[in-house]
Amino acid sequence: LCCCEYVDRRGQRNHLAACCCDCEELDDGCDRWLTCKSLPPGALERITDTIADRLRVPWFSGAVKINVSLVPPLVLLPVFLHVAALHFLLGLIILTSLPVVVLWYYYLTHRRKERTLFFLSLGLFSLGYMYYVFLREVVPRGYVEYSEVVLLTCGLILMLAALSRAKKDPGYLPIPAGNEKPSHQDLPNKSVRGSSSGLHGISGAASSRAVNGEAKGHCRMPAERPEGVKKDWCTKCQLVRPARAGHCRLCGRCVRRLDHHCVWINSCVGEQNHQAFILALSFFMFTSVYGITLTLHTICRGRTPFVALFYCPGAYSDYSSALSFTCVWYCAIVTAGMGYILLIQLLNISYNVTEREARLALRDNTGRRLLGGLVIDTGQYNRGLLCNWGHFLSLGSSPPQRSAEDIV
């Protein structure tokens, strides 16, 4: 392939110069539009897929495909922020509508069970653009010291490092090799449930044995699997899942101790990356709050950050201050959302419950709502605050034990 050639979705060689030609779906759609006929079902989806497949840029080994979901944040975010900095009312309208649009897009992709890089792109580009505005508009005013810039930069680097670790394997269960599929008959003397999304129970015979590495009544957490824990059969992956594992419908894989699928990292949060996920959220909160504080101290001299966030006279006196103040409010909205996510995560860890288990407990009406409904205590794995945090800090410290039934 030359730099302008690529292999399309049909497996045929194509060229960028011909990307606007030979689109049967688009031709048929235009013909029906001119003749006032309705489009057949799925026509718009086929046209969108064709456009997305042909959206490529020249590269040395052939044209590289561009993910369409990466483009809107890179283009629209700077435009919206610069327009919002023109006037207070424009800023109020845009900063109010942005969360609504993001939530609507999340609902749309979640309903269609689609994976998208939109949220990851929006988060990373927001960080980069806020840092750029800080260095360009705030630091030159002379009120921010060199050590403060270094501290903010270190927080940003640490957050990106934790995010990179959170993007790695969350603890996927191995897919059965070849065409051999384990069946229920291959599991003697084990309790296997036929659902793919149920909670894992404990038989009445296991009273003092550990549950998924956690002892009942004391903090000792042996590595072996308790005999009383029921295993779960996944009909999608055709394998036996250990306790607390779950199947992610977006990734199409089973994950050990599945917490949830996070759209902000475009990956699952499970046994192997849950700690890195919490670290990334914590570093983000520190970096964002610190950057907001430094910016407000610069553009609203003599006022505390909380007061300056709501009352900052002269913020729109010049465009540089208006843009900085608009970015502060944008950061505050994002930080509030991420802070809520971090709070829920910390409460779940304190009660040793995953987000998936909390949702299933609400569905089956088997959990207790605590702290005004912020956390759902299933009571199944809760061994006290210290034991719960000790278990969380030990996640991924040793390779998971695999029984003979898990080896296919």
Side-chain angles (χ1 to χ4, degrees):
L1 296 175
C2 73
C3 65
C4 295
E5 284 185 314
Y6 63 94
V7 178
D8 61 17
R9 57 178 179 168
R10 299 176 181 176
Q12 301 175 355
R13 290 168 67 105
N14 213 325
H15 201 276
L16 288 182
C19 65
C20 297
C21 306
D22 191 24
C23 183
E24 298 177 1
E25 293 86 358
L26 184 59
D27 292 340
D28 181 64
C30 291
D31 291 339
R32 287 178 173 270
W33 178 70
L34 292 174
T35 56
C36 298
K37 296 181 181 178
S38 60
L39 293 176
L44 291 178
E45 287 78 4
R46 290 193 296 270
I47 294 174
T48 304
D49 291 341
T50 302
I51 295 176
D53 184 56
R54 297 182 179 188
L55 187 62
R56 300 173 184 260
V57 294
W59 198 246
F60 299 105
S61 58
V64 179
K65 184 178 179 180
I66 301 177
N67 196 309
V68 181
S69 60
L70 295 174
V71 179
L74 303 181
V75 177
L76 297 181
L77 182 63
V79 173
F80 283 158
L81 291 179
H82 279 275
V83 172
L86 295 176
H87 194 271
F88 170 75
L89 293 179
L90 287 175
L92 182 62
I93 294 173
I94 291 177
L95 292 177
T96 304
S97 59
L98 274 179
V100 177
V101 173
V102 171
L103 290 175
W104 170 81
Y105 186 72
Y106 167 76
Y107 170 76
L108 185 65
T109 54
H110 184 74
R111 186 181 62 178
R112 294 182 178 180
K113 302 178 183 180
E114 297 177 352
R115 295 189 66 179
T116 175
L117 292 174
F118 172 83
F119 300 97
L120 178 61
S121 173
L122 177 62
L124 292 178
F125 185 69
S126 297
L127 283 173
Y129 192 72
M130 296 303 105
Y131 187 69
Y132 166 77
V133 172
F134 178 78
L135 294 180
R136 181 182 176 86
E137 306 293 343
V138 179
V139 174
R141 294 173 179 257
Y143 297 108
V144 180
E145 298 181 0
Y146 177 76
S147 58
E148 294 174 331
V149 177
V150 172
L151 184 60
L152 183 68
T153 305
C154 289
L156 182 62
I157 293 174
L158 290 174
M159 193 278 296
L160 293 177
L163 180 62
S164 176
R165 174 61 187 89
K167 282 284 296 175
K168 295 182 179 179
D169 181 14
Y172 291 122
L173 289 174
I175 299 177
N179 296 325
E180 298 180 4
K181 302 290 185 181
S183 60
H184 299 279
Q185 290 77 10
D186 297 329
L187 305 171
N189 301 325
K190 296 289 181 180
S191 299
V192 180
R193 295 185 298 178
S195 67
S196 61
S197 61
L199 284 174
H200 312 287
I202 303 177
S203 66
S207 58
S208 62
R209 296 297 302 271
V211 179
N212 191 29
E214 300 165 273
K216 188 173 183 177
H218 53 85
C219 295
R220 208 161 52 86
M221 292 174 280
E224 70 271 6
R225 176 161 36 221
E227 293 295 331
V229 175
K230 294 183 179 180
K231 292 185 179 180
D232 197 2
W233 172 262
C234 179
T235 57
K236 301 291 181 63
C237 297
Q238 293 293 295
L239 52 79
V240 179
R241 298 187 301 213
R244 308 191 77 176
H247 183 87
C248 176
R249 62 179 185 175
L250 297 179
C251 296
R253 295 283 300 275
C254 285
V255 181
R256 293 184 181 273
R257 198 184 180 275
L258 175 63
D259 190 85
H260 69 289
H261 182 94
C262 181
V263 296
W264 294 105
I265 64 174
N266 194 33
S267 178
C268 290
V269 176
E271 183 177 88
Q272 298 297 320
N273 68 341
H274 202 167
Q275 295 175 352
F277 179 72
I278 296 298
L279 277 178
L281 282 177
S282 302
F283 282 128
F284 171 82
M285 292 295 297
F286 163 77
T287 305
S288 181
V289 172
Y290 190 58
I292 289 173
T293 303
L294 292 178
T295 304
L296 289 177
H297 274 312
T298 301
I299 62 177
C300 299
R301 303 292 297 171
R303 299 182 184 275
T304 61
F306 183 79
V307 174
L309 187 62
F310 296 95
Y311 181 68
C312 183
Y316 286 86
S317 59
D318 61 279
Y319 188 76
S320 176
S321 299
L323 180 61
S324 302
F325 189 71
T326 302
C327 291
V328 162
W329 259 104
Y330 174 74
C331 288
I333 294 173
V334 176
T335 303
M338 294 300 172
Y340 176 78
I341 295 176
L342 179 60
L343 175 63
I344 297 299
Q345 286 290 312
L346 296 179
L347 290 176
N348 286 344
I349 294 171
S350 300
Y351 286 90
N352 201 358
V353 61
T354 64
E355 192 68 25
R356 171 178 174 269
E357 292 167 349
R359 289 197 301 265
L360 293 176
L362 284 178
R363 185 193 67 184
D364 301 334
N365 197 23
T366 57
R368 295 185 304 155
R369 289 180 177 270
L370 301 175
L371 303 178
L374 289 177
V375 64
I376 307 298
D377 181 20
T378 62
Q380 190 173 7
Y381 302 103
N382 188 3
R383 301 295 176 264
L385 180 66
L386 295 180
C387 292
N388 294 339
W389 273 97
H391 171 68
F392 173 76
L393 295 177
S394 65
L395 289 178
S397 57
S398 60
Q401 301 292 324
R402 297 176 63 192
S403 64
E405 291 87 352
D406 294 329
I407 302 176
V408 181

